[in-house]
Amino acid sequence: QKLRCGVFLVPQGREHEWMFSSEEGQLKIATSNGIGRLIVVGMGRGHTFESMEAIQAELSTSMLSFAPPLMKTDEAIPYLTVD
């Protein structure tokens, strides 16, 4: 099942890598995870983040404005990342 939308959190310090910085790499992330619209979020190097849950809570409202128009209001937007 294809997801309409998903958020990918780029690990701190890895934003320069091809997979995260290029359109082709981001498209590969989206297609390999079955995501129609991928929102890529860079994590600032100078910031300290409490937890993945705290990041999601901080971003969740903002990410809704990037969701596709046909997405249902009760449809969850998954968050993905790599180590």
Side-chain angles (χ1 to χ4, degrees), residues 14-73:
R14 295 184 61 188
E15 59 279 342
H16 65 282
E17 293 180 23
W18 175 84
M19 182 69 74
F20 312 125
S21 64
S22 71
E23 186 176 339
E24 296 87 0
Q26 293 172 7
L27 184 59
K28 183 174 176 127
I29 294 169
T31 55
S32 66
N33 288 286
I35 298 172
R37 178 175 293 179
L38 184 68
I39 303 165
V40 179
V41 178
M43 311 301 287
R45 286 183 185 229
H47 292 87
T48 303
F49 300 97
E50 184 179 316
S51 66
M52 180 68 108
E53 292 77 21
I55 295 167
Q56 289 180 21
E58 184 176 332
L59 293 175
S60 63
T61 304
S62 299
M63 294 302 103
L64 292 174
S65 64
F66 295 107
L70 298 176
M71 193 164 167
K72 298 173 186 163
T73 55

